[in-house]
Amino acid sequence: VTSGMATTNPNPDDGRPGRRLKLSDEMIAAAVALLVKGNFRCVVAERLGVDQATFRRWMKLGREYQDEYPDGLYARFYAAVVS
């Protein structure tokens, strides 16, 4: 029995009410700039002011949603970091 909820996973950055996202386009650009300079991901996370676990979670969400929501914030973060 379903309760009428969607069977697909919602886009985690779809603007639903709740806690404001810390990840932003500016933060993605800062991460890319740090990575281009040769910084490790753990250093990038520190410089962005986020825990390494948060950085890894953003990467995981981006990887999971890159096909379904390629223009989503997490997918853009993931693509920027791995490129």
Side-chain angles (χ1 to χ4, degrees):
V1 176
T2 61
S3 61
M5 297 183 74
T7 56
T8 60
N9 290 331
N11 182 3
D13 61 343
D14 65 0
R16 292 177 292 176
R19 187 172 181 186
R20 187 174 182 176
L21 293 177
K22 189 166 190 175
L23 182 59
S24 65
D25 288 318
E26 293 79 16
M27 192 171 277
I28 294 171
V32 169
L34 290 165
L35 289 165
V36 166
K37 290 179 181 177
N39 289 290
F40 291 107
R41 291 179 183 180
C42 60
V43 174
V44 173
E46 181 181 319
R47 298 265 175 89
L48 295 177
V50 299
D51 192 76
Q52 289 182 37
T54 299
F55 190 95
R56 286 191 303 269
R57 184 175 66 252
W58 290 348
M59 290 294 290
K60 180 181 176 200
L61 288 168
R63 187 175 54 251
E64 290 174 356
Y65 288 103
Q66 67 183 340
D67 293 329
E68 192 172 355
Y69 302 102
D71 294 327
L73 197 56
Y74 294 112
R76 292 195 321 267
F77 176 74
Y78 175 77
V81 170
V82 299
S83 63

